[in-house]
Amino acid sequence: MSDASFLSSTRADPTTSVAGEEAAAGAVTTARSATAELYRTNLLRLETTELLSESTLHLSPFSGELDREVKWSDDVRRYVETVRLAIESMDATALGPDTAAMPMAVSDDNQTAKKRYWVDLDSDKFRKHVSGSESARWCFPFPGGKGLQIEPIGQYGAGGAGMTNQRGNALCLPMVDVAVLVPSHANVEEEGMIGGKDYLNGRYFDKQNILAIHIAKLLSQKKHRKKIGTVHASIERSDLRRIALILTPPLPEDLSESNAGDEGRSKKRRKGNNDDLSRKDGKKKGKTKKKTRFRVRLVLGMQGNPVAGNFWFPRARIFPDRCNNRVGPSSDRNSPDQSPTPTYTNALARDLHHVSTARTVHAMSKACGAFNEALVLAKIWCLQRGFLRGHDTFDTTSLSVLLVYLYRTKKAGTRMGPIQVFTILMKFIAETDWLGEGDTIDAATATLGGDNEAGARTMGTGDTIRYAPSEGYQGLAVFSAGNGSLKAAIVLPELGLSEAKTIDHCAQGELYHSDLQKNGFDKSHPKTLLDCYKAHVSGPVFLDSTMTLNYFGSISPSFIRELQGEARKAIRSLHLHSDEPSGATSPFRQLLMEGCRFWRRYDAYIHIDLNNIRRYVGTSNVSAQKGAVYDMCAICGANDVGTYESISRSVIKVLRMALGDRVTAIRALTFGNGETDLMQGNNLMLETDQVPSIPIRGASMEEMKSWGVDGDPQSRPVQSPVADGINRRDTLVLGLRINPQTCHRIIDRGPQANDKEAMASFIALWGKEKAELRRFKDGAIVHAVLWNTDVSNTPQGYIKFSGDEKMGGVVERIIRHVINLHFVVPTRQEKSLLVAFGLRNMMSLIEGVSIASNSSSKTSGVDSTAMHKDIMAAFDSLTVFLRRNSIAVPVISGSKETRSKLGLPLAVEAVEPVSPSLRYSELFPPEAQPLLGDGKKKGGGSRVPGVTTGSPIVIQLRLEGNSKWPTDVKAISAAKCALLIQLAEGIETMKRNGSSECWAFNGPIHVTPTYIDLGYRGYSWRIMIRADQEIKLLSSLRKPSAEALELRTILTKRHVASVMHHSMIHSVHTQHPSAGSTVRLAMRWIHAHMLTGLLPQEAIEILVGKVFVDSQPLD
């Protein structure tokens, strides 16, 4: 009994055994995943450690502070000291606009208003000065260099925190930031350079710019030139209205020569030393050529201690709701209600925080060793994407202070490694709602491929007619304001205090509260200073501990949206596991090694001529013509952010509202987006930052005329700050990332008729001529905008390519309409093409076009996509014909004898495509010809309308398996030839018998030993036969001859590799519709450079496929 029970208990239970096997398999999978994750994490740690050791620059203004320093650190400190002594030697004098004037030879006239200046002066004092009145001439005293304070700031002032060498700095030389701090006087009666009400109307910035030119002229004098080198005037990155001085030290060999003197050089000549001769040729015996190691940037600021409340102007003027700049035609001097200027005011406050901010970062760098490493990683990540050193992007100071915030708020710990801190930084940037647009950001993210509810609400399907308020049909004020209650605003905590206690104990916040009670504002006014920042600052808000400086004050909303998108990609890349399909790509390469700057990140690029854009916009063209008020100046005032930045941000906001979910990103070109691959070996001052600069001495007349600013502010052209060679651009460049799932929508449906405010905004956005009343199938009668018309707003006519809507044609039409309607001077709309698309017009190289102008004449062109589809349809039809008619059927009903209609002894198992025409890659796909059996013109034609110049479309037949194939290579080749002959005879026999399936065959049939050429449905086809037995026979040879090896290679490439290649490329083109056009453009480029025979098309297709399949960091 016990034995029986023992036997029964050991009987296997199927359920238990299966569950046990699944548990064991899951444990093995988990162990493998953990092992792979450990390996990937360790590898990432090793890679980042090596990157940090190769790119970190150990440089500090304090000798002996760092354990290891670069060899030339003493040279930096000596050079900064030389500059300090030179500036302190300046004598007291009177300065004025004439100090910043260029030589008379550059000016068109000797009059004051016709002079050209080194800097952009635009204050009310300067406007009166150039008016010509002697009583309005403006000058101010300069007390001399002894009163100036020279302090290291930025990365250098923070003990070298975040400094990198040229390889880790986007091929730019390391920049040493030094501040020239000017004393101030709060009392108007006191005699000083800056004081009183200089904070109003740009006076302070004009004085600083004039002083900067005065310092530059001094340092460029002959007595300082040998020790200081060259001096360039450059635009300050954070504020386009100000300049900075770039000092390039002389080469060490030149400095040694000047110190040695003529006597030392004469002794070397007498001794026969030829070093001087070698220096003339740029060489030196036994030593490498000396090169510049660093540059120094002089930035002007103000003396004072903001922590102690030491300000030279009333502290209440720093509130973001104050208006401190009323200069410009857009301002109404008679109106007491002026628009706030938070960006202008923040620039005033920033000049007081140069030294205190550097000390804050320096203290954090000394307290935590991983801080500097994490800062270097974040800096390299930003540089690879063009997110650093732009006029509306991060600078290293704001990036380092953001890391300090993470440490002080305990989001990052001092024991964490640099990779952990970098991950926390990315997560914090991605998850913080900087603009109060949480719903909008989620929807934009969903359009990139998400299938959540937010995406379902905003995504469009086909050309459906629908209305959704989130697609950009709101009024301008509603769309641009965001939700102030949802907007995040952070404050850097004081050391030892929490963020909340820092806000509660802030003296500036108490002053705002008392000022609010004193003036008695209404209930709609923000109750706290933090809420005031949220309400009046359109960009992100990150305040210092005194709440007087917004570290992110110059950052634009478009940049923060792009930054958050890239931060989300970085998090996904860091969290990928190696056992996932996409985990094979290294996150180290994606995040830190591969560049993805402006010119690589977008689908379309728009060039807008700034010469035809109205500078000060009160009402748009539609308001002037139809009476609809659409105040563009309310978007971004030129008095606050400057003329160019006002135009740039206004255009982006209006386009974002008009395009809605058709695009996922709109971004303007900024500094720091030069391609590093194209800048290697370039020794120009421009470098990859593309910041324009000009030498104070030694500049050519053409350079000075191009750089010089007119004395009359009304006649100054608007220029982009980004340099194009040695000149500044006169165009605004925008990049658009197009949403392929919604960009082809052709109807924008307006709001309901009972919502009068929304309807007025909709009509004001599109114009009364474009927004027309339409009745829809649901019975609603609303205003709508239709984009399927071919008529353009430009006299040149709209160029429409094949598949226009899928390639962003609707987006281009919307942009042309909106720009011409709201931003272009009305008298210039009909004169020139003002909006140029940089990439889509390249499609004319490979696509047929149809130009539709205002006249009735039209020229239709070919559609390459439709031509490829016609070829594929013909291939499918030919495949069905060959497979169906190769199947053996009884000759007579009931008979055992079988025979196929084509007479082939073996059935066709598959018809395999090989030609590029069958995978959307043919540069110029063939067009169907009537005499080859064009299916669209059944019955053929009397003549051929054109000549077929392309190669035949290659396909191959794979026959069913059979053991009766010959065992000799030559016999197999003969059998294949016999099958081809039988195929040709079978088709001719069916045609003679009047088979209805052969109507599409036309033209002669040519048979060769390896292939057969025939015409079917208007196309020329080349059919080959694949015999796997032939390849197996050649592979089984023990000692194959050279001829056998060559034949095996040819057959494998022709019949096996080509089919595998075709299947792979076709799958890429199916998943990414634009891959086919990319291959064809690449082929056109290859042909244009006469490289056709050197690089095969298959190699080009693989290269393009690599870009689409492994699209990081683009995807």
Side-chain angles (χ1 to χ4, degrees), residues 376-393:
V376 171
L377 292 180
K379 177 181 177 180
I380 294 176
W381 180 82
C382 290
L383 284 173
Q384 293 285 32
R385 286 152 182 80
F387 290 166
L388 201 67
R389 302 198 290 256
H391 61 267
D392 65 341
T393 64

mmCIF file of all heavy atoms in Angstrom, residues 376-393:
data_model
loop_
_atom_site.group_PDB
_atom_site.id
_atom_site.type_symbol
_atom_site.label_atom_id
_atom_site.label_comp_id
_atom_site.label_asym_id
_atom_site.label_seq_id
_atom_site.Cartn_x
_atom_site.Cartn_y
_atom_site.Cartn_z
ATOM 1 N N VAL A 376 29.748 68.970 -15.726
ATOM 2 C CA VAL A 376 30.422 68.757 -17.008
ATOM 3 C C VAL A 376 29.568 67.878 -17.916
ATOM 4 O O VAL A 376 29.433 68.143 -19.120
ATOM 5 C CB VAL A 376 31.816 68.145 -16.777
ATOM 6 C CG1 VAL A 376 32.429 67.707 -18.103
ATOM 7 C CG2 VAL A 376 32.733 69.139 -16.087
ATOM 8 N N LEU A 377 28.954 66.824 -17.357
ATOM 9 C CA LEU A 377 28.088 65.964 -18.167
ATOM 10 C C LEU A 377 26.896 66.751 -18.708
ATOM 11 O O LEU A 377 26.530 66.612 -19.891
ATOM 12 C CB LEU A 377 27.609 64.776 -17.338
ATOM 13 C CG LEU A 377 28.660 63.739 -16.928
ATOM 14 C CD1 LEU A 377 28.015 62.636 -16.105
ATOM 15 C CD2 LEU A 377 29.355 63.152 -18.146
ATOM 16 N N ALA A 378 26.267 67.556 -17.844
ATOM 17 C CA ALA A 378 25.126 68.356 -18.295
ATOM 18 C C ALA A 378 25.543 69.380 -19.340
ATOM 19 O O ALA A 378 24.807 69.648 -20.304
ATOM 20 C CB ALA A 378 24.476 69.054 -17.096
ATOM 21 N N LYS A 379 26.719 69.931 -19.186
ATOM 22 C CA LYS A 379 27.216 70.917 -20.151
ATOM 23 C C LYS A 379 27.450 70.266 -21.515
ATOM 24 O O LYS A 379 27.048 70.815 -22.553
ATOM 25 C CB LYS A 379 28.508 71.543 -19.621
ATOM 26 C CG LYS A 379 29.156 72.528 -20.575
ATOM 27 C CD LYS A 379 30.444 73.076 -19.990
ATOM 28 C CE LYS A 379 31.131 74.019 -20.984
ATOM 29 N NZ LYS A 379 32.389 74.569 -20.428
ATOM 30 N N ILE A 380 28.078 69.100 -21.532
ATOM 31 C CA ILE A 380 28.325 68.414 -22.805
ATOM 32 C C ILE A 380 27.009 68.010 -23.449
ATOM 33 O O ILE A 380 26.833 68.119 -24.669
ATOM 34 C CB ILE A 380 29.238 67.197 -22.563
ATOM 35 C CG1 ILE A 380 30.629 67.656 -22.108
ATOM 36 C CG2 ILE A 380 29.352 66.350 -23.824
ATOM 37 C CD1 ILE A 380 31.557 66.527 -21.751
ATOM 38 N N TRP A 381 26.059 67.538 -22.639
ATOM 39 C CA TRP A 381 24.744 67.170 -23.175
ATOM 40 C C TRP A 381 24.064 68.376 -23.829
ATOM 41 O O TRP A 381 23.471 68.254 -24.914
ATOM 42 C CB TRP A 381 23.877 66.610 -22.052
ATOM 43 C CG TRP A 381 22.512 66.193 -22.468
ATOM 44 C CD1 TRP A 381 22.144 65.024 -23.050
ATOM 45 C CD2 TRP A 381 21.297 66.964 -22.338
ATOM 46 N NE1 TRP A 381 20.792 65.014 -23.289
ATOM 47 C CE2 TRP A 381 20.251 66.177 -22.871
ATOM 48 C CE3 TRP A 381 21.001 68.212 -21.816
ATOM 49 C CZ2 TRP A 381 18.935 66.632 -22.887
ATOM 50 C CZ3 TRP A 381 19.691 68.670 -21.842
ATOM 51 C CH2 TRP A 381 18.677 67.879 -22.379
ATOM 52 N N CYS A 382 24.146 69.520 -23.196
ATOM 53 C CA CYS A 382 23.544 70.723 -23.767
ATOM 54 C C CYS A 382 24.289 71.185 -25.018
ATOM 55 O O CYS A 382 23.668 71.608 -26.003
ATOM 56 C CB CYS A 382 23.529 71.840 -22.724
ATOM 57 S SG CYS A 382 22.372 71.596 -21.364
ATOM 58 N N LEU A 383 25.614 71.115 -24.994
ATOM 59 C CA LEU A 383 26.384 71.548 -26.154
ATOM 60 C C LEU A 383 26.094 70.691 -27.374
ATOM 61 O O LEU A 383 26.045 71.195 -28.506
ATOM 62 C CB LEU A 383 27.879 71.501 -25.835
ATOM 63 C CG LEU A 383 28.433 72.627 -24.949
ATOM 64 C CD1 LEU A 383 29.876 72.352 -24.587
ATOM 65 C CD2 LEU A 383 28.305 73.972 -25.647
ATOM 66 N N GLN A 384 25.889 69.399 -27.182
ATOM 67 C CA GLN A 384 25.612 68.527 -28.313
ATOM 68 C C GLN A 384 24.271 68.851 -28.956
ATOM 69 O O GLN A 384 24.034 68.497 -30.122
ATOM 70 C CB GLN A 384 25.618 67.054 -27.866
ATOM 71 C CG GLN A 384 26.972 66.545 -27.424
ATOM 72 C CD GLN A 384 27.909 66.300 -28.584
ATOM 73 O OE1 GLN A 384 27.873 66.979 -29.600
ATOM 74 N NE2 GLN A 384 28.764 65.316 -28.463
ATOM 75 N N ARG A 385 23.393 69.524 -28.245
ATOM 76 C CA ARG A 385 22.060 69.846 -28.763
ATOM 77 C C ARG A 385 21.857 71.330 -29.031
ATOM 78 O O ARG A 385 20.751 71.756 -29.357
ATOM 79 C CB ARG A 385 20.994 69.356 -27.772
ATOM 80 C CG ARG A 385 20.838 67.851 -27.799
ATOM 81 C CD ARG A 385 20.375 67.282 -26.482
ATOM 82 N NE ARG A 385 20.305 65.826 -26.591
ATOM 83 C CZ ARG A 385 21.364 65.018 -26.496
ATOM 84 N NH1 ARG A 385 22.563 65.535 -26.262
ATOM 85 N NH2 ARG A 385 21.232 63.708 -26.610
ATOM 86 N N GLY A 386 22.899 72.133 -28.859
ATOM 87 C CA GLY A 386 22.769 73.569 -29.093
ATOM 88 C C GLY A 386 21.959 74.269 -28.035
ATOM 89 O O GLY A 386 21.326 75.296 -28.317
ATOM 90 N N PHE A 387 21.964 73.737 -26.804
ATOM 91 C CA PHE A 387 21.171 74.308 -25.714
ATOM 92 C C PHE A 387 21.999 75.179 -24.779
ATOM 93 O O PHE A 387 21.516 75.547 -23.707
ATOM 94 C CB PHE A 387 20.525 73.193 -24.892
ATOM 95 C CG PHE A 387 19.433 72.457 -25.615
ATOM 96 C CD1 PHE A 387 18.942 71.260 -25.129
ATOM 97 C CD2 PHE A 387 18.895 72.951 -26.778
ATOM 98 C CE1 PHE A 387 17.937 70.569 -25.778
ATOM 99 C CE2 PHE A 387 17.885 72.268 -27.445
ATOM 100 C CZ PHE A 387 17.414 71.091 -26.941
ATOM 101 N N LEU A 388 23.209 75.495 -25.141
ATOM 102 C CA LEU A 388 24.077 76.259 -24.258
ATOM 103 C C LEU A 388 24.659 77.440 -25.017
ATOM 104 O O LEU A 388 24.987 77.332 -26.206
ATOM 105 C CB LEU A 388 25.205 75.370 -23.722
ATOM 106 C CG LEU A 388 25.912 75.831 -22.439
ATOM 107 C CD1 LEU A 388 24.953 75.770 -21.270
ATOM 108 C CD2 LEU A 388 27.137 74.986 -22.158
ATOM 109 N N ARG A 389 24.761 78.545 -24.305
ATOM 110 C CA ARG A 389 25.397 79.768 -24.817
ATOM 111 C C ARG A 389 24.604 80.410 -25.945
ATOM 112 O O ARG A 389 25.171 81.113 -26.794
ATOM 113 C CB ARG A 389 26.845 79.490 -25.248
ATOM 114 C CG ARG A 389 27.725 78.930 -24.140
ATOM 115 C CD ARG A 389 29.189 79.087 -24.476
ATOM 116 N NE ARG A 389 29.622 78.223 -25.545
ATOM 117 C CZ ARG A 389 30.342 77.121 -25.392
ATOM 118 N NH1 ARG A 389 30.672 76.725 -24.174
ATOM 119 N NH2 ARG A 389 30.724 76.404 -26.423
ATOM 120 N N GLY A 390 23.311 80.194 -26.007
ATOM 121 C CA GLY A 390 22.455 80.908 -26.943
ATOM 122 C C GLY A 390 21.854 82.134 -26.285
ATOM 123 O O GLY A 390 21.862 82.272 -25.055
ATOM 124 N N HIS A 391 21.298 83.037 -27.094
ATOM 125 C CA HIS A 391 20.761 84.270 -26.516
ATOM 126 C C HIS A 391 19.459 84.039 -25.767
ATOM 127 O O HIS A 391 19.023 84.925 -25.017
ATOM 128 C CB HIS A 391 20.565 85.339 -27.599
ATOM 129 C CG HIS A 391 19.615 84.950 -28.673
ATOM 130 N ND1 HIS A 391 20.012 84.358 -29.848
ATOM 131 C CD2 HIS A 391 18.274 85.065 -28.762
ATOM 132 C CE1 HIS A 391 18.971 84.135 -30.611
ATOM 133 N NE2 HIS A 391 17.898 84.546 -29.982
ATOM 134 N N ASP A 392 18.808 82.888 -25.936
ATOM 135 C CA ASP A 392 17.604 82.594 -25.152
ATOM 136 C C ASP A 392 17.665 81.181 -24.572
ATOM 137 O O ASP A 392 16.631 80.558 -24.327
ATOM 138 C CB ASP A 392 16.346 82.763 -26.006
ATOM 139 C CG ASP A 392 16.275 81.746 -27.138
ATOM 140 O OD1 ASP A 392 17.317 81.163 -27.484
ATOM 141 O OD2 ASP A 392 15.165 81.523 -27.666
ATOM 142 N N THR A 393 18.872 80.666 -24.343
ATOM 143 C CA THR A 393 19.055 79.316 -23.829
ATOM 144 C C THR A 393 19.826 79.367 -22.514
ATOM 145 O O THR A 393 20.012 80.425 -21.913
ATOM 146 C CB THR A 393 19.813 78.450 -24.851
ATOM 147 O OG1 THR A 393 21.132 78.979 -25.020
ATOM 148 C CG2 THR A 393 19.124 78.446 -26.197
#
